[in-house]
Amino acid sequence: MERTFASSGSRDLPTISVSYSSSSSLGPSMPTRPVKIIPLQHPNTTTSSSLNPLPGALFSRWTAKVKRITLVQWIDTFLPCCRWIRTYKWREYFQPDLMAGLTVGVMLVPQAMSYAKLAGLHPIYGLYTGFIPIFVYAIFGSSRQLAIGPVALVSLLVSNVLGGIVNSSDELYTELAILLAFMVGILECIMALLRLGWLIRFISHSVISGFTSASAIVIALSQAKYFLGYDIVRSSKIVPLIKSIISGAHKFSWPPFVMGSCILAILLVMKHLGKSRKQFRFLRAAGPLTAVVLGTLFVKMFHPSSISLVGEIPQGLPSFSFPKKFEYAKSLIPTAMLITGVAILESVGIAKALAAKNGYELDSSQELFGLGLANIMGSLFSAYPSTGSFSRSAVNNESGAKTGLSGVVAGIIMCCSLLFLTPLFEYIPQCALAAIVISAVMGLVDYDEAIFLWHVDKKDFVLWIITSATTLFLGIEIGVLVGVGASLAFVIHESANPHIAVLGRLPGTTVYRNIEQYPEAYTYNGIVIVRIDAPIYFANISFIKDRLREYEVDADKSSRRGPEVEKIYFVILEMSPITYIDSSAVQALKDLHQEYKSRDIQICISNPNRDVLLTLTKAGIVELLGKERYFVRVHDAVQVCLQHVQSSTQSPKKPDPSAEEKPRIFKRLSKQREEDLSIAELESATSTKIPGRIIPAESCGDFAACVESGVVDAKVKSLHVVPHRKNDNPSPSEEL
């Protein structure tokens, strides 16, 4: 008798009659029993052009997009400053911008000279680097709070690479530093035009944290010579620095050490008060200027001979000159790429954070283009590589900066310093500048991040340790390469060994979830449901095949239901998380199909996305498996597969004459398992009882026979009889 199981929650769905003949690949013939499933829409291969448009279509689409851009939008694209100039509110914005610009400018002047010394350059080049790039970025940069100029990490990179080529006292050293700024600007502009900023996403946060922490330690040790009063070796490795400090201990001088330590203590106290208390936040920005003023006053008053001074600084603005020494450009390419990466990580990262905090959008490519132009134009006016500063950008935002006008004000302060104040800078103690650098980099030692990673993710903690250790002991370039290499290795490992879950059905629902996450979920004998949580491609297909073989052999049978069978008949692949499948994976699926076919196992596929299904169609996998093997839901696939598994376990039996005498209720009970639900209940994930009547169990015929066969438990005292209504279908013979 043909049975149709309709769902009250799915009345609009078609009832698909699933029947199999002896020639069907699903197995031997069995009675037709329709089940309610959602038909999967198979794409036509002719629709591939819509999914993978031809170059001509792409060009047409791009042309149409360009035509829709208005003149104002074009101006905003090339001159982002027009966005805030057009909507500038003078009464609300001018005073905060003015105060923020003054604060950052006062902070930048001593920091610029300090970072130039760290880079091995004369302090005047730090002032040049904090002058022209600020104005250029204010025009072409998209962030309204980012403060650019010389920074400690980039200065250390410049010193490290150029120190291995030429002595810092040589004029060639300065020329190469300026050439490096030009090359960094070109690379940043190229990356912006090609929109390649996404490449930096492959460098994990743990690698960045480990690299900056180790670099901060190296920077602090490199400034120790100004505290100790004697020269130490120039190196980016911690061991040579420590050896040099120890070997020159007999040259130790007390005056610079005492002065530097006092100034450093004042800076740290002012920074702490500025961060912890709102009423004193101006102290954070005033710290560097305070250090310079105190050091200069002390030298002016006592004239200590053992404390080295900055010396004469040229007065006036930088002159225009094109970078020279291009014959060294090839050897500077690796360092230029490294500085570009650091600039993107440092600048774009904080710029995006500040943009989100202040409620406007930031274009990463436009940001890179603005930084690139700032470096190119800066190199034409004797600047070395510059980028966004964490500390100055934070101070700029905290001071209330609303637009790029604050950067223009900071640039004007730097211009005034170059024109009028350079004679005063001659008496600045070098230990004061060193204290400013050490104070700035101490916050970069992120040991809290290491503790956090240890508790949250041991793999990221290992990355942090590897990057920081290699940076400390093998140098900055090797540290970055090893850290990025280790980060990519972890990415490749995770991609090549994706997470694969065996799914089970949650009781009382048609929802299938990972049985490890939901222990109460149960599976079915003869069926393995597998979800692959990653794209399938050449690197991970072997791993996936091995795991599928393991599930076939080592499947957990403790929570299984359904017909009592010992082998696997179906492997259902839940493909909704799979976003991409390549030709290697397609070939592997064909091989797996042949392998399973030899063991009488069939593959069914559930919920593939359009692109994946189109690839499978083009490759012939759909025809190879059969369109009836593709389902919208896992539950649909399970219904069909359970039907076949049940039929494979039923052997032909002779009719039992006494069976006609058995009451109808026991015929129904003998075809139901414990916790059997109707299709309507499963689809709606409910268990609503249908009204009926209760009869004593022992009054029914053949009760003892049913108890003996295991259909009814001997402890059952009564049975709930459900009346058969007109057009009402009996429940299925299996829990579907």
Side-chain angles (χ1 to χ4, degrees), residues 27 35 46 69 88 138 142 216 387 436 483 506 509 512 545 554 564 577 639 697 722:
V35 294
T46 58
I69 300 177
Y88 196 83
S142 55
T387 188
I436 293 173
L506 298 180
T509 72
Y512 292 77
K545 288 173 65 177
D554 302 327
E564 296 296 333
Q639 290 184 78
V722 180

Side-chain angles (χ1 to χ4, degrees), residues 13-62:
L13 300 179
T15 301
I16 299 178
S17 178
V18 181
S19 62
Y20 309 103
S21 64
S22 58
S23 60
S24 173
S25 58
L26 276 173
S29 62
M30 62 172 290
T32 301
R33 189 181 68 176
V35 294
K36 181 71 66 174
I37 64 174
I38 304 172
L40 179 70
Q41 298 297 325
H42 288 267
N44 194 322
T45 54
T46 58
T47 63
S48 60
S49 59
S50 63
L51 297 175
N52 301 297
L54 298 174
L58 285 174
F59 180 76
S60 300
R61 192 178 302 172
W62 180 81

Side-chain angles (χ1 to χ4, degrees), residues 4 6 724-730:
T4 303
H724 179 66
R725 297 174 301 193
K726 187 177 181 181
N727 297 327
D728 186 32
N729 299 307

Side-chain angles (χ1 to χ4, degrees), residues 711-731:
V711 175
V712 179
D713 192 276
K715 297 179 181 180
V716 174
K717 301 301 181 183
S718 62
L719 299 173
H720 180 250
V721 181
V722 180
H724 179 66
R725 297 174 301 193
K726 187 177 181 181
N727 297 327
D728 186 32
N729 299 307
S731 58

